Each structure stands twice: as C-alpha cells, then as structure tokens.
C-alpha cells in the first residue's frame, strides 16, 4: 500500500532538483573560469567545491523526498 508523499517530501524532492541544477550551473562555471583564469585559480576551486556540495545535498534531499515514511501521527 503506497501512500502519497506529504508536503515536506514534495518540497524536499523539489529542492533536490534545484540542487542538481545548481551543480550543473557550477560545473559550467568551473569550465568557463578554468579556461579564462586557469585551473589554479581560487574561483575554479570554489566552484568545484560547490559542485560537490550541491550534488551531496541533492542526494540527501532526493532520498528524503522519495522515502516511504510511516505515518507517525498520534491517533
């Protein structure tokens, strides 16, 4: 018996998608600035670290958004 996800899970899944898009934007920015400033630039390192953060947080929100959580309300 599958139940519908709650509003919190829908928000979490939406955040996961936004975080994945932010990671893609940081990836594009990393390649752009690596070409402009060189790969040793702190800007490139910051965007590279941002990719890791956004992908990691996106995975966490994705798992929260798709988990089959029990109903914990007091009846």
């Amino acid at each position: 018996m599958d139940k519908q996800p709650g509003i919190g899970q829908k928000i979490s899944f939406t955040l996961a998608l936004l975080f994945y898009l932010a990671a893609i934007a940081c990836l594009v920015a990393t390649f752009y600035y690596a070409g402009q400033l060189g790969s040793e630039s702190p800007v490139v390192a910051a965007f590279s670290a941002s990719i890791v953060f956004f992908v990691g947080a996106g995975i966490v929100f994705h798992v929260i958004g798709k988990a089959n959580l029990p109903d914990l309300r007091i009846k």
Side-chain angles (χ1 to χ4, degrees):
M1 173 169 87
D2 289 332
K3 67 178 189 75
Q4 295 288 23
I7 187 73
Q9 283 186 287
K10 291 177 184 176
I11 291 171
S12 292
F13 186 71
T14 303
L15 280 174
L17 296 178
L18 291 175
F19 275 52
Y20 292 146
L21 287 175
I24 292 170
C26 286
L27 181 67
V28 170
T30 299
F31 282 114
Y32 175 76
Y33 285 116
Q36 296 293 319
L37 303 174
S39 62
E40 299 294 322
S41 173
V43 174
V44 175
F47 276 118
S48 298
S50 297
I51 294 168
V52 173
F53 170 76
F54 283 127
V55 169
I59 290 170
V60 171
F61 281 122
H62 195 131
V63 169
I64 291 171
K66 290 298 179 180
N68 188 9
L69 300 174
D71 185 14
L72 298 176
R73 287 182 273 186
I74 298 173
K75 296 180 171 71

